[in-house]
Amino acid sequence: MSVTTTGRRSARKAKGDGHLRRAEILAAAERIFVAEGYEGATIRRIAEEVGVSSTALYMHFPDKACILLEICQGAMQVLLDRNSQIAERPLDPVVRTRMMLEAYMRWGFEHPNAYQLVFSAVRPLPADSDAIAELAAGCYDKFSGVVREIAAQGRLRLGHGDSAAQALWAACHGVVALRLSRPNFPWEPVDDLIEITLEGLLNGLTVD
């Protein structure tokens, strides 16, 4: 799961090949932001990775801050949609909490560049970061609301709804972030890590 841009650079696209998809720019920018940092991710560098001119790229995004903003917004929207769907299901709150945490971890392992960029990378906030903050708050509110349901039922062994939600989220983030940032460590399979993490956390924190 190491991040690299070597060998991924596209050949320069000839005129008449059609409109460049924004998704192609976003995918290339994700890789470069993580591999080379925000400062190293120039418009020219991103354009070279995609295989177009800087001028062509500017037709889609006025600057790299707007690219970063769209990547972050897209990632948070996916997580918010998933949490919203799970939160509304007529299931036991412990089951829903587990489903949310599993969805979060799997999304991180399946989209390592986006995960590191949104949750782990040290970066300046985009100019319009209020939109990202609102999505992130909504995502966390859906999750913590379900954990508070567990607390309201008197099923937490310790702590309260908010402290339990924060501890659960932080623990799962730690597993994902550490595995992505240390790809050469002899990690066990992802499915095993997810199952052991979630079963250990929830069995230790909640009662039937």
Side-chain angles (χ1 to χ4, degrees), residues 12 20 25 43-44 47 52-61:
R12 181 60 61 91
L20 177 67
I25 299 173
I43 288 292
R44 180 177 179 179
V52 298
S53 67
S54 298
T55 301
L57 194 149
Y58 278 121
M59 293 175 64
H60 297 272
F61 295 97

Side-chain angles (χ1 to χ4, degrees), residues 41-71:
T42 63
I43 288 292
R44 180 177 179 179
R45 179 71 184 85
I46 296 169
E48 289 177 349
E49 177 82 358
V50 176
V52 298
S53 67
S54 298
T55 301
L57 194 149
Y58 278 121
M59 293 175 64
H60 297 272
F61 295 97
D63 54 43
K64 66 180 181 179
C66 290
I67 298 176
L68 180 62
L69 177 65
E70 189 157 328
I71 292 171

Side-chain angles (χ1 to χ4, degrees), residues 55-136:
T55 301
L57 194 149
Y58 278 121
M59 293 175 64
H60 297 272
F61 295 97
D63 54 43
K64 66 180 181 179
C66 290
I67 298 176
L68 180 62
L69 177 65
E70 189 157 328
I71 292 171
C72 294
Q73 284 181 311
M76 294 311 306
Q77 187 65 60
V78 167
L79 294 177
L80 176 57
D81 291 345
R82 290 184 180 181
N83 275 7
S84 298
Q85 293 169 5
I86 295 170
E88 294 171 2
R89 298 185 66 176
L91 299 171
D92 181 277
V94 175
V95 173
R96 281 179 283 145
T97 295
R98 191 189 194 286
M99 292 173 66
M100 285 185 180
L101 291 172
E102 181 172 355
Y104 172 78
M105 295 181 76
R106 289 196 181 280
W107 185 88
F109 288 133
E110 291 166 4
H111 303 88
N113 287 336
Y115 187 91
Q116 289 178 297
L117 179 60
V118 174
F119 293 104
S120 300
V122 177
R123 66 189 188 280
L125 289 174
D128 190 19
S129 58
D130 288 348
I132 299 173
E134 184 176 346
L135 288 170

Side-chain angles (χ1 to χ4, degrees), residues 15 26 39 54 57 68 87 96 132 183 185 199 205 208:
K15 293 182 179 179
L26 295 171
E39 294 304 322
S54 298
L57 194 149
L68 180 62
R96 281 179 283 145
I132 299 173
F185 184 81
E199 290 299 319
L205 185 61
D208 294 332

